Coordinates of all heavy atoms in Angstrom, one line a residue:
L21 N 5.9 3.5 -4.9 CA 6.1 4.2 -6.2 C 5.0 3.9 -7.2 O 5.0 4.3 -8.3 CB 7.4 3.9 -6.8 CG 8.7 4.3 -5.9 CD1 9.9 3.7 -6.5 CD2 8.7 5.8 -5.9
G22 N 4.0 3.1 -6.8 CA 2.9 2.8 -7.6 C 3.1 1.6 -8.6 O 2.4 1.4 -9.5
K23 N 4.1 0.8 -8.2 CA 4.5 -0.4 -9.1 C 4.1 -1.7 -8.4 O 4.6 -2.0 -7.3 CB 6.0 -0.4 -9.4 CG 6.4 -1.5 -10.3 CD 7.9 -1.6 -10.5 CE 8.3 -2.8 -11.3 NZ 9.8 -2.9 -11.5
D24 N 3.2 -2.5 -9.0 CA 2.8 -3.8 -8.5 C 3.4 -4.9 -9.4 O 2.9 -5.1 -10.5 CB 1.3 -3.9 -8.4 CG 0.8 -5.3 -8.0 OD1 1.6 -6.0 -7.4 OD2 -0.3 -5.6 -8.4
R25 N 4.4 -5.6 -9.0 CA 5.0 -6.6 -9.8 C 4.1 -7.8 -10.1 O 4.4 -8.5 -11.0 CB 6.3 -7.1 -9.2 CG 6.1 -7.9 -7.9 CD 7.5 -8.5 -7.4 NE 8.2 -7.5 -6.6 CZ 8.7 -7.8 -5.5 NH1 8.6 -9.0 -4.9 NH2 9.4 -6.8 -4.8
T26 N 3.0 -8.0 -9.3 CA 2.1 -9.0 -9.5 C 1.1 -8.7 -10.7 O 0.4 -9.6 -11.2 CB 1.3 -9.4 -8.3 OG1 0.4 -8.3 -8.0 CG2 2.2 -9.6 -7.1
L27 N 1.1 -7.5 -11.1 CA 0.3 -7.0 -12.2 C -1.2 -7.1 -11.9 O -2.1 -7.0 -12.8 CB 0.5 -7.8 -13.5 CG 2.0 -7.8 -14.0 CD1 2.1 -8.6 -15.3 CD2 2.6 -6.4 -14.1
E28 N -1.6 -7.2 -10.6 CA -3.0 -7.2 -10.2 C -3.6 -5.8 -10.3 O -4.7 -5.7 -10.6 CB -3.1 -7.8 -8.8 CG -2.8 -9.3 -8.7 CD -3.8 -10.1 -9.5 OE1 -5.0 -10.0 -9.2 OE2 -3.4 -10.9 -10.4
L29 N -2.7 -4.8 -9.9 CA -3.2 -3.5 -9.9 C -2.3 -2.5 -10.7 O -1.1 -2.7 -10.8 CB -3.2 -3.0 -8.4 CG -4.2 -3.7 -7.5 CD1 -4.0 -3.2 -6.1 CD2 -5.6 -3.6 -7.9
S30 N -3.0 -1.6 -11.3 CA -2.2 -0.6 -12.1 C -1.7 0.6 -11.3 O -2.1 0.7 -10.1 CB -3.2 0.0 -13.2 OG -4.2 0.7 -12.6
Y31 N -0.9 1.4 -11.8 CA -0.4 2.6 -11.2 C -1.6 3.5 -10.7 O -1.6 4.0 -9.6 CB 0.6 3.3 -12.1 CG 1.0 4.7 -11.5 CD1 2.1 4.8 -10.6 CD2 0.3 5.8 -11.8 CE1 2.5 6.0 -10.1 CE2 0.7 7.1 -11.3 CZ 1.8 7.1 -10.4 OH 2.2 8.3 -9.9
D32 N -2.5 3.7 -11.6 CA -3.7 4.5 -11.3 C -4.5 4.0 -10.2 O -5.0 4.8 -9.3 CB -4.5 4.7 -12.6 CG -3.9 5.6 -13.6 OD1 -2.9 6.3 -13.3 OD2 -4.3 5.5 -14.8
Q33 N -4.7 2.7 -10.1 CA -5.5 2.1 -9.1 C -4.8 2.3 -7.7 O -5.4 2.6 -6.7 CB -5.7 0.6 -9.3 CG -6.7 0.3 -10.4 CD -6.7 -1.2 -10.7 OE1 -5.7 -1.8 -11.0 NE2 -7.9 -1.8 -10.6
L34 N -3.5 2.1 -7.7 CA -2.7 2.3 -6.4 C -2.7 3.7 -6.0 O -2.9 4.1 -4.9 CB -1.3 1.7 -6.6 CG -1.1 0.2 -6.6 CD1 0.3 -0.1 -6.9 CD2 -1.5 -0.3 -5.2
N35 N -2.5 4.6 -7.0 CA -2.4 6.0 -6.7 C -3.7 6.6 -6.2 O -3.7 7.6 -5.5 CB -1.9 6.7 -8.0 CG -1.4 8.1 -7.7 OD1 -0.6 8.3 -6.8 ND2 -1.8 9.1 -8.5
S36 N -4.8 6.1 -6.7 CA -6.1 6.6 -6.3 C -6.6 6.1 -5.0 O -7.6 6.6 -4.5 CB -7.1 6.3 -7.4 OG -7.3 4.9 -7.6
S37 N -5.9 5.1 -4.4 CA -6.3 4.6 -3.1 C -5.6 5.6 -2.0 O -4.6 5.2 -1.4 CB -5.8 3.2 -2.9 OG -6.2 2.7 -1.7
K38 N -6.3 6.7 -1.8 CA -5.6 7.8 -1.1 C -5.4 7.4 0.4 O -4.5 8.0 1.0 CB -6.5 9.0 -1.2 CG -6.7 9.5 -2.6 CD -5.4 9.9 -3.3 CE -5.6 10.5 -4.6 NZ -4.3 10.8 -5.3
G39 N -6.2 6.5 1.0 CA -6.1 6.2 2.4 C -5.0 5.1 2.7 O -4.7 4.9 3.8
L40 N -4.4 4.6 1.6 CA -3.5 3.5 1.8 C -2.0 3.9 1.8 O -1.6 4.7 1.0 CB -3.7 2.5 0.6 CG -2.7 1.3 0.6 CD1 -2.8 0.4 1.8 CD2 -3.0 0.4 -0.7
T41 N -1.4 3.5 2.9 CA 0.1 3.8 3.0 C 0.8 2.4 3.2 O 0.2 1.5 3.7 CB 0.4 4.7 4.2 OG1 -0.1 4.2 5.4 CG2 -0.2 6.1 3.9
F42 N 2.1 2.4 2.9 CA 2.8 1.2 3.0 C 4.0 1.3 3.9 O 4.6 2.4 4.1 CB 3.4 0.8 1.6 CG 2.3 0.6 0.5 CD1 2.1 1.6 -0.4 CD2 1.5 -0.5 0.5 CE1 1.1 1.5 -1.4 CE2 0.5 -0.6 -0.5 CZ 0.3 0.3 -1.4
T43 N 4.3 0.2 4.6 CA 5.4 0.1 5.5 C 6.0 -1.3 5.6 O 5.3 -2.3 5.5 CB 5.1 0.7 6.9 OG1 6.2 0.7 7.7 CG2 4.0 -0.3 7.6
S44 N 7.3 -1.4 6.0 CA 7.9 -2.6 6.3 C 8.3 -2.6 7.8 O 9.1 -3.5 8.2 CB 9.1 -2.9 5.4 OG 10.1 -1.9 5.5
E45 N 7.9 -1.6 8.5 CA 8.3 -1.4 9.9 C 7.1 -1.8 10.8 O 6.1 -1.1 10.7 CB 8.7 0.0 10.2 CG 9.9 0.5 9.4 CD 11.2 -0.2 9.8 OE1 11.3 -0.7 11.0 OE2 12.1 -0.4 9.0
L46 N 7.2 -2.8 11.6 CA 6.2 -3.3 12.4 C 5.7 -2.2 13.4 O 4.5 -2.1 13.7 CB 6.6 -4.5 13.2 CG 5.6 -5.2 14.1 CD1 4.4 -5.8 13.2 CD2 6.2 -6.4 14.8
A47 N 6.6 -1.4 13.9 CA 6.3 -0.3 14.8 C 5.2 0.6 14.3 O 4.5 1.2 15.1 CB 7.5 0.4 15.2
D48 N 5.1 0.7 13.0 CA 4.2 1.7 12.3 C 2.7 1.2 12.5 O 1.8 1.9 12.3 CB 4.5 1.8 10.9 CG 5.8 2.6 10.6 OD1 6.2 3.3 11.5 OD2 6.3 2.4 9.5
L49 N 2.6 -0.1 13.0 CA 1.2 -0.6 13.2 C 0.8 -0.5 14.7 O -0.3 -1.0 15.0 CB 1.2 -2.1 12.8 CG 1.7 -2.5 11.4 CD1 1.5 -4.0 11.1 CD2 1.1 -1.6 10.3
S50 N 1.6 0.1 15.5 CA 1.3 0.1 16.9 C 0.0 0.8 17.3 O -0.6 0.4 18.3 CB 2.4 0.8 17.7 OG 2.6 2.2 17.2
E51 N -0.5 1.7 16.5 CA -1.8 2.4 16.8 C -3.0 1.7 16.2 O -4.1 2.1 16.4 CB -1.7 3.8 16.3 CG -0.6 4.7 17.0 CD -0.8 4.8 18.5 OE1 -2.0 5.0 18.9 OE2 0.1 4.6 19.2
C52 N -2.7 0.7 15.4 CA -3.8 -0.1 14.7 C -4.5 -1.0 15.8 O -3.9 -1.5 16.7 CB -3.3 -0.9 13.6 SG -2.6 0.1 12.2
N53 N -5.8 -1.2 15.5 CA -6.6 -2.1 16.4 C -7.3 -3.2 15.7 O -8.0 -4.0 16.3 CB -7.5 -1.2 17.3 CG -8.5 -0.4 16.5 OD1 -8.6 -0.6 15.2 ND2 -9.2 0.5 17.1
F54 N -7.2 -3.2 14.4 CA -7.8 -4.2 13.6 C -6.8 -4.7 12.5 O -6.3 -3.9 11.7 CB -9.1 -3.6 12.9 CG -10.0 -4.7 12.4 CD1 -11.3 -4.8 13.0 CD2 -9.7 -5.5 11.3 CE1 -12.2 -5.7 12.5 CE2 -10.6 -6.4 10.8 CZ -11.9 -6.5 11.4

C-alpha cells in the first residue's frame, strides 16, 4: 500500500519503483535465480 513503517522510504519512492513487487509466500520466489 506504499507504507514504510521504518520511515526510510516515502510513498512516492515506493510507488515509483515499478519493477518491485512484494510477497510473504515463498513459492512466489520459485522462478528466481538470484
Side-chain angles (χ1 to χ4, degrees):
L21 296 172
K23 179 184 177 182
D24 174 25
R25 73 174 79 133
T26 69
L27 306 181
E28 289 298 302
L29 297 175
S30 67
Y31 174 86
D32 289 341
Q33 286 174 304
L34 285 172
N35 195 49
S36 59
S37 184
K38 300 299 184 182
L40 175 58
T41 57
F42 301 105
T43 185
S44 58
E45 299 294 330
L46 186 63
D48 291 339
L49 308 185
S50 59
E51 297 301 314
C52 296
N53 56 12
F54 197 113

